[in-house]
């Protein structure tokens, strides 16, 4: 076979593999439109990959890709699929069975991943069958058939591949030269037919994939998209509305973070590849385990309880010193402690496990939930129903604890148990069981590497020691003496506190500004730098600015 024809055959094989893989994915998506979006094979595999990723690698991914880590993961999965699909197509040229086996492997991986998250298995089966079927059709369509329809092996290819020389052989002269008995023109016609047949089959596959995928998306949106339910939801007013955040809580300094973080700018950290779509109409919250009266509440029943407003700064244990995974919102919700007391928490209940619609488990020490802090089952955020990304329709919040031990999004189940009873998701991965928020402070103004004129420079930032409160913030320049920063009004110990300090900048060149906070118990933020794992980062934030 000539180089050109070999190349064309390979392209045909690759296209067959890719076409079959696209068909597999579309068919899987269509099945998942009935069994739930998380059961679509790629998402199931991605979710399983997230669960299996060792903590150091996850840390690295979060550091390098931030909130884009999921996009990067999905891109990686698709790229791997493209490579495998091409391989399957090339294999299928030699042996259809081997190509089909690759799709069986695909399906097997999907099945394993789906079962690891208790997702439906059907989409992976459907995807595997569709892939195998389309591979068979495309590979067969690409073979030249004798007029009677039988598959021929063109003499001269000699590889027993059940293959034909491509049209390229003709172009390179072998055919038009008309070697004696070789029925050149007839073969050429058959070849053209074979090529046309293949292109028709490939085009039909592409159209079919587009139609099926479009239908799958429309169906998924119609069946699972909660945007409409969220838009239609009217939350009752709080029993005692909080006064607005006083203007004096936020120094007017350009570049300083807003005191209340807009929902659209609020950090998002979770393991959900696609946002769980939880309909309020079918939502229930089960409270069970070590309680006297297990209950199951509907969303309406939850909203009939007195609603309270709580200003609260939520932060992530994975936040680096000076990092962005922290935000403040005015939350609306139901007292979690009141609800638990009504169910009759039994002696011996040490751990409250929150379970989410997407299978997350988050464990909170019961003692902390019941010690009088404003633990909340939140349904509203900054005057609106919870955004889907932040746990619609209901999430928990327990002031003083990092999100991973307190803030279950898409919450559907609360279980009272012992610490020995269950290791929640993050504890199984080595993170601290309690997750108390560490005292943190951040310089936001001037921006890192800013150039400032000598003289008075406003230095400003934000500090938090959630639930203990911020009692003091100090700033120093180039390891000099510490200066007390001016603290803005404290709204509550459960929210961050902003601060300013006037620096008389002298000496042109680079200078290092450093900040540290003291919490409400009088403990100064430790200097020792420690990474987030396993119980939150420590160390002082610093920034370098240049005086011109
Ligand atoms: N269902 C679910 N809830 C979750 C998580 C998650 O992965 N899944 N992540 C937790 C973590 S680690 C944090 S820091 C907070 C983040 O909440 P946010 O995304 O609304 O800022 O949610 C918590 N709740
Ligand atoms: Mo987190």
């Amino acid at each position: 076979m000539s180089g050109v024809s070999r190349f064309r055959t390979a392209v045909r094989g690759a296209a067959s593999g890719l076409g079959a893989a696209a068909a597999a994915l579309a068919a899987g998506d269509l099945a998942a439109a009935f069994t739930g979006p998380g059961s679509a094979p790629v998402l199931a595999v991605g979710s399983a990959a997230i669960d299996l990723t060792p903590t150091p690698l996850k840390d690295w991914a979060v550091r390098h890709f931030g909130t884009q880590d999921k996009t990067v993961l999905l891109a990686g999965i698709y790229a791997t699929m493209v490579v495998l699909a091409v391989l399957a197509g090339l294999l299928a040229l030699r042996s259809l069975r081997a190509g089909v086996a690759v799709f069986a492997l695909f399906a097997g991986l999907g099945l394993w991943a789906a079962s690891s998250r208790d997702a439906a298995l059907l989409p992976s089966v459907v995807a595997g069958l569709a892939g195998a079927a389309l591979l068979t059709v495309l590979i067969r369509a690409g073979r030249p058939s004798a007029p009677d329809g039988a598959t021929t092996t063109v003499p001269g290819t000699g590889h027993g591949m059940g293959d034909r020389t491509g049209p390229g052989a003709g172009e390179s002269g072998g055919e038009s030269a008309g070697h004696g008995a070789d029925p050149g023109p007839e073969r050429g016609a058959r070849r053209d037919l074979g090529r046309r047949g293949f292109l028709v089959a490939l085009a039909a596959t592409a159209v079919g994939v587009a139609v099926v995928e479009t239908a799958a998306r429309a169906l998924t949106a119609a069946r699972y998209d909660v945007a409409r339910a969220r838009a239609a939801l009217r939350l009752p007013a709080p029993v005692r509305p909080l006064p607005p955040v006083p203007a004096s809580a936020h120094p007017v300094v350009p570049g300083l973070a807003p005191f209340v973080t807009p929902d659209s700018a609020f950090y998002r950290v979770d393991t959900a590849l696609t946002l769980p779509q939880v309909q309020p109409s079918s939502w229930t919250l089960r409270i069970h385990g070590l309680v006297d009266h297990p209950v199951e509440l509907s969303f309406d029943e939850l909203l009939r309880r007195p609603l309270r407003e709580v200003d609260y700064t939520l932060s992530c244990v994975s936040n680096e010193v000076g990092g962005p995974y922290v935000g403040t919102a005015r939350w609306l919700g139901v007292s979690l402690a009141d609800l638990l007391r009504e169910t009759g928490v039994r002696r011996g209940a040490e751990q409250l496990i929150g379970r989410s619609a997407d299978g997350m488990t988050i464990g909170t020490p019961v003692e902390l939930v019941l010690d009088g802090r404003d633990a909340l089952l939140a349904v509203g955020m900054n005057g609106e129903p919870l955004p889907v990304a932040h746990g619609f329709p209901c999430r928990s919040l327990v002031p003083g604890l990092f999100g991973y031990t307190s803030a279950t999004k898409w919450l559907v189940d609360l279980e009272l148990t012992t610490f020995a009873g269950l290791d929640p998701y993050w504890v199984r991965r080595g993170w601290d069981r309690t997750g108390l928020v560490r005292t943190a402070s951040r310089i936001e103004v001037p921006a890192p590497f800013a150039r400032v004129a000598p003289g008075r420079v406003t230095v400003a930032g934000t500090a938090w020691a959630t639930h203990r409160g911020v009692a003091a913030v100090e700033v120093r320049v180039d390891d000099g003496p510490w200066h007390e920063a001016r603290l803005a009004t404290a709204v509550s110990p459960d929210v961050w506190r902003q601060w300013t300090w006037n620096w008389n900048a002298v000496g042109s060149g680079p200078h290092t500004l450093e900040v540290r906070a003291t919490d409400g118990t009088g403990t100064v933020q430790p200097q020792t730098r420690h990474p987030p794992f396993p119980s939150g980062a420590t160390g002082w934030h610093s920034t370098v600015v240049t005086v011109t």
Side-chain angles (χ1 to χ4, degrees):
M1 203 193 316
S2 77
V4 174
S5 77
R6 209 169 279 180
F7 176 72
R8 291 192 176 195
T9 304
V11 167
R12 209 185 70 226
S16 301
L18 288 171
L25 290 186
D29 287 347
L30 186 62
F34 295 94
T35 57
S39 56
V42 169
L43 295 178
V45 169
S47 300
I50 289 177
D51 291 348
L52 283 178
T53 307
T55 300
L57 180 58
K58 198 175 295 184
D59 273 3
W60 178 87
V62 169
R63 254 199 318 282
H64 288 265
F65 308 122
T67 325
Q68 293 301 304
D69 55 347
K70 295 185 188 95
T71 316
V72 172
L73 171 67
L74 280 181
I77 292 175
Y78 282 116
T80 310
M81 287 207 56
V82 165
V83 172
L84 286 178
V86 168
L87 272 176
L90 295 178
L91 269 177
L93 291 174
R94 284 167 192 272
S95 151
L96 192 51
R97 243 181 244 175
V100 166
V102 175
F103 279 89
L105 266 174
F106 270 175
L109 191 63
L111 284 174
W112 161 80
S115 61
S116 82
R117 277 229 176 176
D118 288 331
L121 305 181
L122 181 71
S124 296
V125 174
V126 170
L129 290 176
L134 263 292
L135 185 67
T136 307
V137 168
L138 288 171
I139 291 290
R140 291 219 171 123
R143 286 180 189 159
S145 44
D148 63 5
T151 303
T152 56
T153 301
V154 174
T157 59
H159 301 308
M161 286 167 63
D163 207 331
R164 62 185 180 101
T165 49
E171 281 150 27
S172 66
E175 182 179 297
S176 43
H179 290 301
D182 193 328
E186 196 194 320
R187 239 178 84 203
R190 250 187 272 150
R191 224 172 261 153
D192 284 349
L193 263 182
R195 176 167 70 170
R196 202 168 308 143
F198 176 70
L199 289 179
V200 167
L202 194 62
T205 303
V207 170
V209 164
V211 168
V212 170
E213 186 60 39
T214 307
R217 288 187 187 195
L219 256 172
T220 303
R223 288 175 54 101
Y224 296 102
D225 194 349
V226 297
R228 216 175 301 152
R230 180 175 175 270
L233 183 62
R234 295 283 165 273
L235 294 174
V239 176
R240 242 176 295 103
L242 283 182
V245 170
S248 56
H250 176 66
V252 184
V253 176
L256 184 63
F259 189 84
V260 174
T261 316
D263 289 1
S264 58
F266 208 96
Y267 82 95
R268 175 185 162 203
V269 170
D270 55 57
T271 61
L273 257 188
T274 50
L275 290 175
Q277 306 284 317
V278 183
Q279 297 286 354
S281 55
S282 55
W283 180 88
T284 61
L285 178 67
R286 204 174 142 228
I287 308 179
H288 61 113
L290 297 171
V291 294
D292 292 331
H293 323 287
V295 288
E296 187 157 346
L297 288 170
S298 70
F299 197 62
D300 283 339
E301 285 166 334
L302 185 76
L303 293 189
R304 261 183 250 132
R305 299 180 65 86
L307 292 184
R308 15 187 313 105
E309 279 182 323
V310 175
D311 289 331
Y312 175 52
T313 299
L314 178 63
S315 59
C316 180
V317 67
S318 295
N319 202 29
E320 302 276 350
V321 169
Y325 299 151
V326 55
T328 295
R330 176 160 288 186
W331 308 88
L332 176 76
V334 162
S335 164
L336 175 56
D338 287 356
L339 191 56
L340 289 185
R341 281 210 189 80
E342 281 176 36
T343 61
V345 176
R346 293 208 182 137
R347 196 191 289 271
E350 299 166 319
Q351 188 176 210
L352 176 66
I353 298 286
R355 283 195 178 79
S356 71
D358 64 328
M360 172 55 63
T361 50
I362 284 182
T364 317
V366 170
E367 193 191 345
L368 300 184
V369 179
L370 298 178
D371 73 356
R373 67 187 75 206
D374 261 327
L376 210 62
L377 291 181
V379 294
M381 183 177 182
N382 292 331
E384 281 190 37
L386 280 181
V388 177
H390 297 291
F392 182 81
C394 179
R395 79 176 306 169
S396 56
L397 295 169
V398 183
L401 299 182
F402 286 124
Y404 84 103
T405 54
S406 65
T408 317
K409 305 194 275 188
W410 314 291
L411 179 71
V412 293
D413 186 291
L414 288 170
E415 180 185 3
L416 287 124
T417 180
T418 57
F419 288 124
L422 182 107
D423 281 341
Y425 188 91
W426 300 105
V427 172
R428 255 177 287 161
R429 287 158 177 76
W431 295 83
D432 176 64
R433 190 180 279 287
T434 309
L436 288 180
V437 174
R438 294 189 180 271
T439 303
S441 50
R442 194 166 76 180
I443 299 167
E444 293 161 19
V445 182
F449 307 112
R451 303 177 72 79
V452 298
R456 200 182 118 156
V457 173
T458 301
V459 181
T462 306
W464 60 95
T466 323
H467 200 57
R468 299 184 300 282
V470 173
V473 170
E474 296 163 287
V475 185
R476 69 176 179 180
V477 184
D478 300 330
D479 289 331
W482 288 101
H483 304 275
E484 194 91 10
R486 184 196 170 88
L487 290 173
T489 299
V491 170
S492 125
D494 292 342
V495 294
W496 59 21
R497 200 162 180 190
Q498 298 196 298
W499 55 268
T500 56
W501 177 64
N502 290 326
W503 173 32
N504 185 23
V506 288
S508 59
H511 294 281
T512 302
L513 299 169
E514 245 177 321
V515 66
R516 68 177 187 190
T518 302
D519 72 10
T521 72
T523 307
V524 179
Q525 193 182 333
Q527 176 175 22
T528 317
R529 278 273 182 162
H530 198 285
F533 186 79
S535 56
T538 66
W540 298 335
H541 184 223
S542 63
T543 193
V544 174
V545 297
T546 301
V547 175
T548 53

